[in-house]
C-alpha cells in the first residue's frame, strides 16, 4: 500500500490565487478541497465551482469505485481507497487503482498555469475487453470559506455539445465548462451530508450538500478518458487537444525545476501587472509581512530575480504614510495597514535583492524611493503610534490593534498586544537603518546602543520581549519568546555582542527549539498552551502562546551558525539537526510543503495551513545557507544607496 498518509494533502495552484487540492485517499476533509476553485478578482474573491466527483469503472468483472466520499456522521462510501495501489504527487497528483480483472486505471490531475483549467485524465493499462468509466461531477458555487446546502436556487440547466457541457448554477458566479471525449447524460440530483473532518476538528461547520447535474461515460478500451474543467462559458473546445496542450506545457515547465522549486512556484501569483505571494493554502490571501519573509527563500535563494523584482516593485506602489499593507482582503475592500514589521521586512528583502541581483537602475531607484518613504515615515510617526522614540528605538501600538506577527485576536481581545518596543521590531529597525546607510547610519548607531542598554534581561540570561510595555517607561515583558533570535540571526546585521548572542541562542535552543521549528512561548510560562486545538477562540488563544512556527527555524539556524562558527562542519551539523526533521515533514501533511504551525508539545502535530509560504521559504533559504555560507558576522553586505535622498 502507499507509504504516504491517506490524509496527506496535495496542491495544484494556478498562478492566479486559485487551486485544486485534496487528499491521497480522495475524500475531502476540508471545505477548501476542490477541483475547480477560482479567483473572481485575482488573486482574491475565490469561489468553489467543482468540489469533486463520483467515479466508477464497469468491466465484465463488475463495478469498481474509483472515488471515495466521507459522509456524516462517519460513513466512508464508496471506498475507492480500497482499490488504490499507488499515489504520487510529482510532477502532478496521480492515483493508480486496481480492477478485479487485473487491469489498472491511472488517474491524473493537472492544473494549467496559463488559464487555470483543470485537466483530469484516466488511462487503463493491462486487461482487455470492455471498460466503461463513469464520472459524475459534484458542484457547488460558493465562496471558498462557506458551505452549501441543498437549495432551490441552484440551476441544474446544461448546455451540451457532444461531450462538452456548460453549467451556470448561479447567475452571479462564473459558468463551469467541462470538455470531454465522453457521452454526457443529464440526470440532476443532490448528494447530501458530506462530512469534512478537518473542519469539525477546528470547531467549524463541517457538512455540505453538493449538486450532481449528470454523468460522463467513457470507453477506456478506446483510449484515455479526458475531462477538462474551466471557469467560463463555451462548449467549442476539442477536449483531447486541450488536455494534450496542458499536459505538454506543464510537463515542460515543471521538468527543469527541482521538487522544492516546483512547490515554491505555487505561492507566486499575479496581482494586477506584477506579482505577489499567497501566504498559505488553502485559506490565506497575500499578506505583506508573509510575502517579504517568504520571498527570501521562494525567489532570492533559488534564485528567481525576475519574480523578486516584480513582487518588490508591485508592492512599492502601495506605500502609504511609511507603511505597506498587511493584507488585501478577499473581496477587494480597503487594504489593511495593521503591521509595524511588514514595511521593515520589505526593506530587508529590497536590500538582499539589490545585493544579489544588481538590478537595472530604474528598478533600483523605485525600490530605494520606497525604502526612503518607509524609513522617513516611521521616523516622523505614522498610524497606530508607530514612531521613533527619544532613545532612537521604534515605539508602536495602540489598544485593540495587533501590529506584530503575533497577531491573534479573539473578539476585541488581542492575545499578545506587545504594545511598546517589541524586540524583533527593534532588530528590524536597526537593520533597515543600517542597510540604508548615509544619513540613516547615525540613527542606526543610536538605536543599536539603546537596544544593547535596555533589552538585556540579566535575571533570565536573555532578552526582554518588549520594553516600555504599553508605552510606560521601564515596564518590561520578560516572556521567553523566539522574537529575540532576530537580534542574532535571520537579518543581515546582528545587533548584540558575541557573548549576548551566545546566551540568546542557548536559551532559545533549550526552551523553544523543536523538530518543527520554534515554540512561540517557553513551556515554563503559565500562559503556555501545549496544543493548538478546539474551537476558534481556543485555537486563536494558543496561536502564539506556545504553538510552534516552522518559519522561525531560518532565524535560529542563521543565529546558531553565527555563534558556533560558519564552517562546513557546522553547516552540515545544522542541516542534520535542524533541517532534516522539516525535510521529513515534506511527506507528512501538505505534500512537498511545510505546515504553518505545529503543537508546542510532542509529537508536535502539524496544524493550520498545510501549505505555508514562509515555512517553505525559510526551509529553502536555510538549505541554501547550509550548503554555502552567508555573510559571516561582522561582514557588512552592500548597502542601499539612499545618501542623496
Amino acid at each position: 500500500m502507499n507509504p504516504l498518509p491517506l490524509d496527506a494533502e496535495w496542491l495544484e495552484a494556478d498562478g492566479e490565487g486559485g487551486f485544486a487540492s485534496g487528499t491521497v485517499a480522495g475524500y475531502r476533509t476540508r471545505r477548501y478541497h476542490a477541483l475547480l476553485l477560482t479567483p473572481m478578482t485575482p488573486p482574491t474573491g475565490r469561489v468553489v465551482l467543482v468540489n469533486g466527483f463520483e467515479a466508477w469503472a464497469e468491466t465484465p468483472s463488475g463495478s469498481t469505485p474509483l472515488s471515495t466520499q466521507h459522509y456524516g456522521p462517519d460513513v466512508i462510501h464508496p471506498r475507492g481507497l480500497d482499490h488504490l495501489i499507488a499515489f504520487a504527487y510529482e510532477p502532478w497528483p496521480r492515483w493508480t487503482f486496481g480492477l478485479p480483472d487485473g487491469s489498472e486505471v491511472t488517474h491524473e490531475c493537472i492544473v494549467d498555469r496559463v488559464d487555470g483549467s483543470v485537466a483530469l485524465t484516466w488511462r487503463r493499462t493491462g486487461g482487455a475487453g470492455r471498460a466503461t468509466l463513469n464520472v459524475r461531477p459534484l458542484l457547488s458555487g460558493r465562496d471558498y470559506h462557506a458551505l452549501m446546502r441543498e437549495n432551490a436556487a441552484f440551476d441544474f440547466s446544461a448546455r451540451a455539445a457532444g461531450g462538452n457541457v456548460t453549467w451556470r448554477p448561479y447567475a452571479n458566479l462564473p459558468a463551469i465548462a467541462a470538455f470531454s471525449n465522453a457521452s454526457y447524460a443529464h440526470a440532476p440530483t443532490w448528494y447530501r451530508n458530506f462530512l469534512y473532518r478537518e473542519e469539525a476538528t477546528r470547531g467549524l461547520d463541517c457538512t455540505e450538500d453538493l449538486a450532481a447535474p449528470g454523468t460522463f461515460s467513457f470507453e477506456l478500451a478506446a483510449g484515455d478518458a479526458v475531462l477538462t474543467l474551466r471557469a467560463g462559458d463555451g462548449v467549442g473546445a476539442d477536449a483531447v487537444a486541450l488536455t494534450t496542450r496542458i499536459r505538454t506545457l506543464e510537463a515542460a515547465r515543471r521538468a527543469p525545476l527541482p521538487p522544492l522549486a516546483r512547490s515554491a512556484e505555487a505561492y507566486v501569483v499575479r496581482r494586477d501587472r506584477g506579482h505577489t505571494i499567497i501566504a498559505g493554502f488553502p485559506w490565506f490571501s497575500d499578506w505583506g509581512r508573509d510575502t517579504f519573509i517568504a520571498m527570501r527563500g521562494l525567489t532570492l535563494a533559488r534564485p528567481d530575480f525576475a519574480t523578486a523584482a516584480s513582487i518588490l516593485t508591485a508592492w512599492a506602489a502601495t506605500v502609504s504614510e511609511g507603511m505597506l499593507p498587511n493584507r488585501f482582503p478577499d473581496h477587494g475592500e480597503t487594504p489593511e495597514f495593521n503591521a509595524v514589521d511588514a514595511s521593515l521586512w520589505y526593506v530587508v528583502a529590497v536590500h538582499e535583492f539589490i545585493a544579489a541581483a544588481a538590478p537595472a537602475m530604474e528598478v533600483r531607484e523605485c525600490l530605494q524611493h520606497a525604502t526612503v518613504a518607509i524609513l522617513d515615515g516611521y521616523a516622523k510617526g505614522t498610524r497606530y503610534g508607530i514612531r521613533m522614540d527619544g532613545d532612537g528605538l521604534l515605539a508602536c501600538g495602540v489598544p485593540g490593534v495587533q501590529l506584530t506577527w503575533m497577531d491573534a485576536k479573539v473578539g476585541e481581545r488581542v492575545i499578545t498586544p506587545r504594545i511598546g518596543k517589541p524586540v524583533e521590531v527593534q532588530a528590524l529597525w536597526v537593520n533597515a537603518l543600517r542597510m540604508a546607510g548615509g544619513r540613516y547610519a547615525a540613527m542606526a548607531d543610536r538605536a543599536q546602543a539603546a537596544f544593547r542598554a535596555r533589552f538585556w534581561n540579566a535575571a533570565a540570561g536573555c532578552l526582554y520581549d518588549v520594553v516600555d510595555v504599553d508605552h510606560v517607561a521601564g515596564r518590561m515583558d520578560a516572556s521567553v519568546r523566539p522574537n529575540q533570535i532576530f537580534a542574532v540571526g535571520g537579518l543581515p546585521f546582528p545587533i548584540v555582542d558575541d557573548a549576548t548572542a551566545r546566551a540568546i541562542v542557548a536559551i532559545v535552543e533549550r526552551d523553544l527549539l523543536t523538530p518543527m521549528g520554534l515554540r512561540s512561548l517557553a513551556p515554563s510560562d503559565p500562559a503556555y498552551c501545549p496544543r493548538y486545538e478546539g474551537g476558534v477562540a481556543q485555537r486563536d488563544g494558543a496561536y502564539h502562546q506556545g504553538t510552534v512556527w516552522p518559519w522561525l527555524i531560518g532565524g535560529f539556524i542563521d543565529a546558531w551558525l553565527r555563534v558556533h562558527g560558519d564552517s562546513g562542519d557546522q553547516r552540515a551539523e545544522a542541516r542534520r539537526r535542524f533541517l532534516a526533521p522539516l525535510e521529513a515533514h515534506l511527506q507528512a501533511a501538505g505534500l512537498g510543503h511545510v505546515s504553518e504551525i505545529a503543537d508546542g508539545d510532542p509529537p508536535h502535530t502539524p496544524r493550520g495551513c498545510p501549505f505555508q509560504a514562509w515555512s517553505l521559504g525559510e526551509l529553502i533559504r536555510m538549505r541554501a545557507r547550509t550548503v554555502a555560507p552567508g555573510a559571516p558576522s561582522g561582514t557588512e553586505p552592500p548597502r542601499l544607496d539612499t545618501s542623496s535622498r
Side-chain angles (χ1 to χ4, degrees):
M1 183 48 204
N2 208 291
L4 295 172
L6 288 174
D7 282 354
E9 299 174 61
W10 54 270
L11 174 71
E12 281 277 295
D14 69 2
E16 297 280 355
F19 58 92
S21 184
T23 65
V24 171
Y27 46 61
R28 295 176 301 285
T29 61
R30 304 182 189 273
R31 67 186 69 203
Y32 305 98
H33 285 160
L35 292 177
L36 186 60
L37 189 158
T38 190
M40 295 179 66
T41 55
T44 57
R46 289 174 279 194
V47 294
V48 178
L49 300 176
V50 181
N51 299 63
F53 56 76
E54 285 274 63
W56 64 98
E58 296 175 346
T59 68
S61 301
S63 179
T64 304
L66 304 182
S67 59
T68 303
Q69 312 294 345
H70 195 181
Y71 295 94
D74 187 17
V75 177
I76 303 293
H77 178 82
R79 297 186 61 89
L81 61 86
D82 292 341
H83 305 277
L84 179 64
I85 59 177
F87 174 83
Y89 64 92
E90 289 287 1
W92 44 66
R94 182 174 66 254
W95 296 258
T96 302
F97 298 90
L99 301 185
D101 65 358
S103 63
E104 297 177 354
V105 172
T106 297
H107 166 52
E108 296 182 320
C109 174
I110 312 170
V111 171
D112 181 13
R113 285 180 71 90
V114 173
D115 65 7
S117 295
V118 181
L120 308 174
T121 67
W122 293 262
R123 170 176 293 180
R124 182 193 189 193
T125 57
R130 181 181 63 85
T132 302
L133 170 71
N134 301 289
V135 178
R136 178 177 276 264
L138 302 172
L139 315 184
S140 58
R142 58 165 172 83
D143 182 274
Y144 78 135
H145 294 308
L147 291 170
M148 187 177 78
R149 284 298 193 180
E150 179 177 354
N151 64 90
F154 190 96
D155 186 352
F156 280 97
S157 300
R159 183 163 66 94
N164 296 347
V165 184
T166 297
W167 309 281
R168 192 174 199 122
Y170 300 103
N172 63 331
L173 293 178
I176 304 164
F179 308 103
S180 81
N181 58 347
S183 61
Y184 174 74
H186 195 61
T189 191
W190 285 93
Y191 282 61
R192 302 174 183 88
N193 208 31
F194 290 98
L195 175 66
Y196 301 145
R197 189 170 62 249
E198 285 297 321
E199 304 301 319
T201 299
R202 299 174 66 225
L204 302 173
D205 293 342
C206 58
T207 57
E208 180 164 47
D209 303 333
L210 297 175
T215 302
F216 295 89
S217 296
F218 307 81
E219 290 303 325
L220 291 177
D224 293 358
V226 301
L227 174 62
T228 293
L229 305 170
R230 177 187 293 168
D233 212 340
V235 293
D238 182 305
V240 174
L242 175 60
T243 303
T244 300
R245 178 192 66 78
I246 293 171
R247 177 190 293 276
T248 301
L249 289 178
E250 281 302 304
R253 186 184 67 81
R254 301 182 197 204
L257 299 174
L260 285 186
R262 288 198 286 270
S263 296
E265 288 207 338
Y267 301 95
V268 177
V269 300
R270 293 174 284 276
R271 175 181 278 283
D272 300 326
R273 289 179 291 179
H275 288 82
T276 185
I277 288 176
I278 294 293
F281 293 98
W283 55 74
F284 287 124
S285 58
D286 53 334
W287 291 58
R289 172 191 301 118
D290 299 58
T291 292
F292 312 132
I293 294 172
M295 69 173 290
R296 302 169 77 196
L298 299 185
T299 64
L300 297 180
R302 289 177 44 197
D304 180 2
F305 296 146
T307 298
S310 181
I311 292 169
L312 292 171
T313 54
W315 280 86
T318 68
V319 177
S320 169
E321 300 177 40
M323 299 184 72
L324 286 165
N326 188 37
R327 186 172 78 95
F328 290 96
D330 256 318
H331 297 288
E333 300 98 330
T334 302
E336 299 172 1
F337 285 86
N338 59 320
V340 61
D341 52 343
S343 301
L344 301 176
W345 279 111
Y346 177 86
V347 175
V348 172
V350 165
H351 168 77
E352 293 181 343
F353 166 71
I354 290 177
M361 184 58 66
E362 180 182 3
V363 173
R364 178 188 287 263
E365 289 182 348
C366 169
L367 303 184
Q368 290 173 344
H369 179 79
T371 295
V372 168
I374 289 166
L375 297 181
D376 288 350
Y378 273 36
K380 178 183 177 181
T382 184
R383 301 173 179 89
Y384 305 118
I386 299 170
R387 67 193 186 282
M388 185 173 67
D389 207 2
D391 56 5
L393 297 173
L394 198 68
C396 62
V398 295
V401 179
Q402 63 278 39
L403 291 180
T404 74
W405 78 273
M406 292 186 160
D407 57 358
K409 189 175 183 180
V410 177
E412 295 303 311
R413 181 171 69 95
V414 177
I415 305 301
T416 47
R418 305 183 74 224
I419 296 172
K421 297 168 183 171
V423 61
E424 82 283 6
V425 172
Q426 310 315 313
L428 284 161
W429 174 238
V430 172
N431 266 266
L433 295 170
R434 189 77 66 202
M435 288 182 286
R439 61 187 174 91
Y440 299 105
M443 296 166 63
D445 291 340
R446 183 175 172 224
Q448 184 166 344
F451 184 94
R452 292 183 173 186
R454 305 203 57 209
F455 269 87
W456 179 247
N457 180 355
C462 62
L463 300 182
Y464 290 111
D465 189 58
V466 185
V467 305
D468 296 346
V469 174
D470 295 331
H471 303 304
V472 177
R475 181 183 291 177
M476 309 299 193
D477 179 355
S479 303
V480 177
R481 295 189 182 274
N483 304 305
Q484 61 188 301
I485 203 68
F486 292 105
V488 184
L491 298 172
F493 299 96
I495 62 171
V496 293
D497 60 40
D498 291 345
T500 303
R502 287 191 293 271
I504 292 167
V505 171
I507 288 290
V508 170
E509 185 171 356
R510 184 192 73 187
D511 292 350
L512 304 178
L513 180 66
T514 77
M516 283 293 292
L518 301 187
R519 295 184 180 97
S520 46
L521 184 65
S524 58
D525 196 295
Y528 176 77
C529 297
R531 285 182 170 53
Y532 178 85
E533 55 190 10
V536 175
Q538 184 178 349
R539 286 185 287 109
D540 283 350
Y543 205 33
H544 302 104
Q545 298 289 71
T547 295
V548 173
W549 290 78
W551 81 270
L552 295 168
I553 201 66
F556 174 77
I557 291 175
D558 193 37
W560 190 89
L561 289 172
R562 277 177 168 164
V563 303
H564 286 88
D566 199 358
S567 67
D569 288 345
Q570 295 295 350
R571 294 195 299 275
E573 181 180 351
R575 187 161 186 166
R576 175 181 58 81
R577 290 181 57 195
F578 310 132
L579 284 185
L582 281 178
E583 290 172 332
H585 172 72
L586 294 169
Q587 308 295 317
L591 297 172
H593 295 257
V594 183
S595 296
E596 175 193 7
I597 52 176
D599 286 342
D601 273 9
H604 308 296
T605 301
R607 307 284 190 181
C609 278
F611 313 94
Q612 193 75 5
W614 61 9
S615 300
L616 181 68
E618 285 297 270
L619 172 61
I620 292 172
R621 190 172 73 88
M622 285 300 105
R623 287 186 71 170
R625 173 73 173 87
T626 54
V627 170
S633 288
T635 299
E636 298 186 357
R639 289 188 174 88
L640 300 172
D641 179 13
T642 59
S643 57
S644 63
R645 296 180 179 274

